[in-house]
Amino acid sequence: MPSPISPLNSYIPPTPSSPLSAETFHIAGILTTVFGLAEIPPDASEIVCLWLLHPRQDSQKDMVGLATAIVHDYYDRRKKSSANSKQKGFIAVAFDARNHGTREIDPMANQAWKSGNENHAPDMFSVYFGTAQDTSTLIDFLPAYIFPNSERSISGHFALGVSLGGHATWLCLLHEPRITAGVVVVGAPDFVALMADRARLSKLTSWLQGDAPGSGFLGSKHFPTGLLETVQKKDPAAVLSGQLDASKKIEFIRTGVYAHPADDDEGKAKTQSILDRHLRGKRILCLSGATDKLVPYRLFEPFMSWLKGIVTPAGGNGGDGDIYLEDIVFKNTAHELTEAMMQEVLRFMYDSVLALDRPNGAKVAKI
């Protein structure tokens, strides 16, 4: 059963007309479940693979409903479509995140500060950073297991993550070039802001001590310098903006006021270079709850507003360098995956498959 905090608890997928096939493989020491192999049309030589990354304290077993709904919906839409593009097969893959499910070593490492885990920040970032790395490893080796005779090829990789899996999906989008579309459900693109806010709410000694609240948090035992250095290199908000201004992040959590400085021409060129390197031609859908208290959207709104403000405006002709970005915040929605969110997921997944055949890649959306 999903954990009490699981955002999947609120989503009950419709009962499909037929169950979805599932087959488990042992790949690189990871039990990996592939959904939809039996449903691939006989004439489909190219396959799109969706990587499903689960929430904290859940496991791959909790992703069965999502896999079933998404794969069946894709084929239902294909049947109703008049598109002349070549039929592609569609599969979904799930595996246990590090220290979860069959890979659990220390249950306390999956808890937060309020539950007594003093290492909450390094434990959480290392788990989902490692899970993103595992995704890349499995992308390398999956074809050898599911298509041993090279009878089909995987022509596209997408990722969808919920909560902790959403954090990992952001890392997959940034650091795995083979993943060209991603859905982040109640996930965080700014780890420092998320942890600083939790430190404040948890009334950690490292937050309360110092000249002002929060001034002693970064670099303390709750957020060691070594962790900060890794976050600087990997976290979306730090990587894409080209800097991690720790003092401004802490002030933002303390006061609620934060604004990215305006870039000069040199800064804009640097930013564009970073975006090209990490997100060129990718499609991103972010789904958040306006009343989410566990991963509050307000913490990431400055970063998301900045990012949406520097991507090519809607209708721009960025060609294969376009970034398609949708950022949807649902009213009266907490830390959950709702039916309304799921409808956006299904629409985005199908459109992303079709986008693989478009000569200029994705068109840019600025929401």
Side-chain angles (χ1 to χ4, degrees), residues 9-318:
N9 281 342
S10 60
Y11 173 68
I12 302 176
T15 302
S17 55
S18 60
L20 186 66
S21 65
E23 189 173 353
T24 299
F25 300 84
H26 176 269
I27 306 176
I30 303 171
L31 291 176
T32 307
T33 302
V34 182
F35 300 93
L37 283 176
E39 286 77 12
I40 296 175
D43 60 343
S45 60
E46 295 184 4
I47 310 300
V48 176
C49 179
L50 169 63
W51 297 88
L52 296 171
L53 309 180
H54 64 75
R56 180 160 60 100
Q57 298 186 24
D58 282 3
S59 72
Q60 63 172 293
K61 294 180 180 179
D62 301 299
M63 306 305 277
V64 174
L66 283 181
T68 303
I70 293 171
V71 173
H72 278 305
D73 180 82
Y74 167 75
Y75 286 120
D76 287 344
R77 290 176 188 251
R78 284 298 310 205
K79 289 178 183 177
K80 300 173 184 176
S81 173
S82 59
N84 295 320
S85 58
K86 186 177 181 180
Q87 167 77 304
K88 285 183 170 65
F90 193 93
I91 60 174
V93 181
F95 62 96
D96 292 331
R98 296 195 182 189
N99 201 43
H100 285 74
T102 58
R103 307 172 73 186
E104 186 178 75
I105 297 174
D106 181 5
M108 178 54 73
N110 294 330
Q111 299 297 324
W113 286 307
K114 284 187 175 181
S115 299
N117 180 16
E118 289 289 285
N119 293 322
H120 175 44
D123 278 346
M124 190 164 84
F125 193 82
S126 62
V127 161
Y128 76 78
F129 171 72
T131 299
Q133 288 188 313
D134 289 340
T135 304
S136 292
T137 297
L138 292 172
I139 288 175
D140 286 335
F141 293 102
L142 181 68
Y145 288 84
I146 63 175
F147 305 132
N149 298 312
S150 303
E151 60 270 34
R152 293 186 169 98
S153 64
I154 299 178
S155 61
H157 291 277
F158 302 162
L160 182 154
V162 183
S163 192
L164 183 79
H167 312 339
T169 296
W170 264 117
L171 295 187
C172 288
L173 282 164
L174 254 67
H175 305 294
E176 176 47 74
R178 290 169 293 185
I179 289 182
T180 59
V183 179
V184 177
V185 182
V186 293
D190 190 333
F191 185 70
V192 172
L194 179 64
M195 290 294 100
D197 193 55
R198 288 187 184 178
R200 177 185 66 84
L201 294 173
S202 300
K203 299 180 180 179
L204 296 181
T205 55
S206 59
W207 180 267
L208 297 175
Q209 294 172 349
D211 296 335
S215 61
F217 173 61
L218 298 178
S220 73
K221 68 175 183 178
H222 293 119
F223 206 114
T225 300
L227 174 61
L228 190 62
E229 291 173 350
T230 301
V231 169
Q232 172 78 56
K233 299 173 185 176
K234 300 297 180 180
D235 195 54
V239 171
L240 296 180
S241 65
Q243 61 182 352
L244 194 161
D245 192 325
S247 61
K248 285 190 175 182
K249 291 290 178 66
I250 297 300
E251 182 180 359
F252 166 56
I253 298 303
R254 189 168 55 234
T255 67
V257 178
Y258 183 83
H260 282 273
D263 284 334
D264 54 20
D265 290 343
E266 182 179 350
K268 290 179 180 178
K270 180 181 178 181
T271 297
Q272 188 60 55
S273 175
I274 293 171
L275 286 172
D276 285 346
R277 184 161 65 251
H278 290 281
L279 295 179
R280 184 181 179 89
K282 298 198 176 189
R283 293 171 54 86
I284 306 168
L285 171 63
C286 297
L287 305 176
S288 305
T291 61
D292 189 342
K293 294 182 179 180
L294 189 63
V295 184
Y297 179 78
R298 62 177 174 78
L299 301 178
F300 323 119
E301 189 169 10
F303 167 71
M304 293 303 297
S305 296
W306 171 81
L307 183 60
K308 288 181 288 189
I310 59 175
V311 297
T312 307
N317 57 355

